[in-house]
Amino acid sequence: MAAVAALRRLADRLEDAAVEQAMRAGWSWPQVSEALGVTRQAVHKKHAKRLIAGGVTLRRRGE
């Protein structure tokens, strides 16, 4: 069970890094959400605050 928990933490860190890299490269929320297989709202809710705190400029809908 410890290994499963460690893998989940690793997967979360990898996702955080990949989403940040994608957003810094100019990806939109829909592009990120499609790549992750989740809704735009889900990816925004999970990552937006952390990205803003990290100084990432986020695209708005239609940009």
Side-chain angles (χ1 to χ4, degrees):
M1 294 308 284
V4 172
L7 286 172
R8 278 198 184 124
R9 286 190 302 273
L10 176 59
D12 282 342
R13 287 195 307 269
L14 290 171
E15 181 180 317
D16 288 348
V19 170
E20 182 170 343
Q21 183 179 11
M23 296 304 285
R24 287 186 185 276
W27 285 37
S28 66
W29 290 113
Q31 289 172 310
V32 173
S33 68
E34 184 177 336
L36 293 175
V38 298
T39 66
R40 180 188 58 78
Q41 293 86 351
V43 75
H44 186 275
K45 181 178 181 178
K46 184 174 181 179
H47 296 284
K49 287 181 184 178
R50 181 184 55 78
L51 293 171
I52 292 168
V56 178
T57 302
L58 303 178
R59 294 177 58 180
R60 294 177 182 245
R61 194 177 297 174
E63 289 183 355

